[in-house]
Amino acid sequence: MGTFPALTRSLGHYCIKKSRSFNFPNPHVYSNGHQYQTHRTLLILDSLSSESVRLRRLSDSDSGIVEVNLDRPAAKNSIGKEMLRGLRNAFETIESDISAQVVLICSSVPKVFCAGADLKERKTMTPSEVQDFVNSLRSTFSLIEALCVPTVAVIEGAALGGGLEMALSCDLRICGEDAVLGLPETGLAIIPGAGGTQRLPRLIGKSLAKELIFTGRKIDGREAMSMGLVNYSVPVGEAHSKALEIAREIIQKGPIAIRMAKKAINEGLEIDLPSALELEEECYEQLLNTKDRLEGLAAFAEKRKPRYRGE
């Protein structure tokens, strides 16, 4: 069997990269020596929000769902330096919080998800500053992609350039029928530089991706769904409710299983099939000694809903 260095680490190491600014009390230690943060551990997310990026944890029956709200109305949620810092802080916070089970990336601004990079700010940058900014944007979107919990882009209105690239870094995309999606960078004599040239063809195929990037053509929600760019195209104003419906389904499942499924799929697609099947085996083995697996079997036998705790 091939070796997978990433899988030799505990699930706790994979899912919890502790920030220096946080202390997580009372970790639960299991017989296999792994440390999992209890589901009750909460971060005070609101205190870490920036002016343009706000974190909100849903409560009660929706506990485990975290919303990242883009809120820069004057600039149509275009991403400048301050907003990029806010995005980075938000996702590093979520990465450090094992009680988060699903992340929804939403907009608080009507008729726009994210208009892309802040071109007014870009105009004031030197070429080296532009390169640094784009590199930081790319790494931030890679951080979104690497989160161990499912991420959902909730798109109402425009998702252009970096806005679409951010959505492409998510696991799922849900949009309103009148959404406007596109990568118009070639019209500015540049290319999508925050993952668009790589994630789009992996999602919809090389030929369609080339067409959209070469022409900069914008598409609506229905066409985006027809080519597999989004999972659902729903009536205008219903993207958030559809995303919440899916998130509620996800949080009913075993949280560790969801993390291992995401890991197996994402990392398996980057290697050959025999190696990917070994990866799947390793991920499955991570679940065999969990309390959640036993709870699932007990709930099935007793004909009741399982009560998973991420243990």
Side-chain angles (χ1 to χ4, degrees):
M1 181 180 295
T3 59
F4 297 92
L7 283 170
T8 63
R9 298 175 292 177
S10 70
L11 178 64
H13 187 281
Y14 172 69
C15 290
I16 308 175
K17 297 180 181 177
K18 296 183 181 179
S19 168
R20 294 177 182 176
S21 59
F22 295 103
N23 292 313
F24 294 87
N26 303 320
H28 196 98
V29 183
Y30 294 94
S31 58
N32 60 5
H34 299 339
Q35 291 188 352
Y36 300 95
Q37 201 63 32
T38 67
H39 184 73
R40 292 178 295 276
T41 299
L42 301 177
L43 298 177
I44 305 174
L45 297 178
D46 287 340
S47 67
L48 298 166
S49 299
S50 73
E51 290 185 3
S52 56
V53 181
R54 303 184 185 280
L55 284 171
R56 183 171 77 98
R57 178 187 301 284
L58 305 193
S59 58
D60 300 327
S61 61
D62 291 332
S63 176
I65 302 174
V66 177
E67 289 187 353
V68 178
N69 282 288
L70 312 179
D71 189 17
R72 196 185 177 205
K76 297 183 178 179
N77 284 345
S78 62
I79 304 173
K81 293 178 183 178
E82 191 277 333
M83 189 170 189
L84 179 55
R85 282 192 295 270
L87 287 169
R88 186 86 192 183
N89 289 339
F91 292 110
E92 286 179 347
T93 299
I94 293 168
E95 183 184 40
S96 300
D97 181 9
I98 197 62
S99 66
Q101 293 177 260
V102 184
V103 179
L104 306 184
I105 304 179
C106 316
S107 170
S108 300
V109 181
K111 299 183 179 180
V112 63
F113 174 71
C114 174
D118 186 336
L119 296 182
K120 290 182 179 179
E121 184 180 88
R122 178 74 57 86
K123 192 175 179 181
T124 68
M125 296 180 184
T126 66
S128 63
E129 288 174 333
V130 172
Q131 186 69 62
D132 289 344
F133 180 86
V134 173
N135 288 346
S136 295
L137 191 63
R138 186 186 306 113
S139 68
T140 298
F141 293 167
S142 292
L143 174 61
I144 297 173
E145 185 176 49
L147 287 174
C148 61
V149 297
T151 53
V152 185
V154 185
I155 305 169
E156 292 280 7
L160 300 172
L164 181 54
E165 289 178 299
M166 177 161 50
L168 289 171
S169 70
C170 294
D171 297 304
L172 308 176
R173 285 152 296 281
I174 300 169
C175 72
E177 292 174 342
D178 69 342
V180 180
L181 302 93
L183 295 173
E185 284 88 347
T186 53
L188 296 170
I190 56 174
I191 65 171
T197 65
Q198 303 308 307
R199 292 191 178 98
L200 186 63
R202 282 169 167 78
L203 188 63
I204 66 173
K206 181 169 66 174
S207 182
L208 279 174
K210 285 180 175 178
E211 177 195 343
L212 292 183
I213 292 172
F214 292 169
T215 65
R217 183 167 69 87
K218 300 177 182 67
I219 60 175
D220 64 17
R222 293 186 186 90
E223 186 173 1
M225 184 174 173
S226 72
M227 62 176 60
L229 178 52
V230 301
N231 297 79
Y232 294 94
S233 175
V234 297
V236 178
E238 295 184 13
H240 185 267
S241 59
K242 182 62 178 179
L244 198 55
E245 174 189 329
I246 293 173
R248 285 167 174 160
E249 291 183 27
I250 293 172
I251 64 174
Q252 299 304 312
K253 308 303 186 288
I256 307 174
I258 293 295
R259 296 185 187 110
M260 287 294 100
K262 177 170 177 173
K263 181 179 179 68
I265 294 168
N266 282 3
E267 296 184 15
L269 285 172
E270 302 301 321
I271 54 181
D272 62 87
L273 182 58
S275 298
L277 291 173
E278 292 181 11
L279 171 66
E280 180 185 71
E281 179 183 351
E282 295 284 350
C283 289
Y284 195 100
E285 287 176 1
Q286 292 274 346
L287 301 166
L288 289 176
N289 294 317
T290 63
K291 293 181 180 179
D292 281 353
R293 187 181 74 86
L294 299 179
E295 166 62 14
L297 292 173
F300 178 80
E302 297 165 15
K303 297 182 180 180
R304 59 172 174 80
K305 287 186 177 181
R307 296 181 292 272
Y308 296 125
R309 296 170 55 85
E311 301 176 357

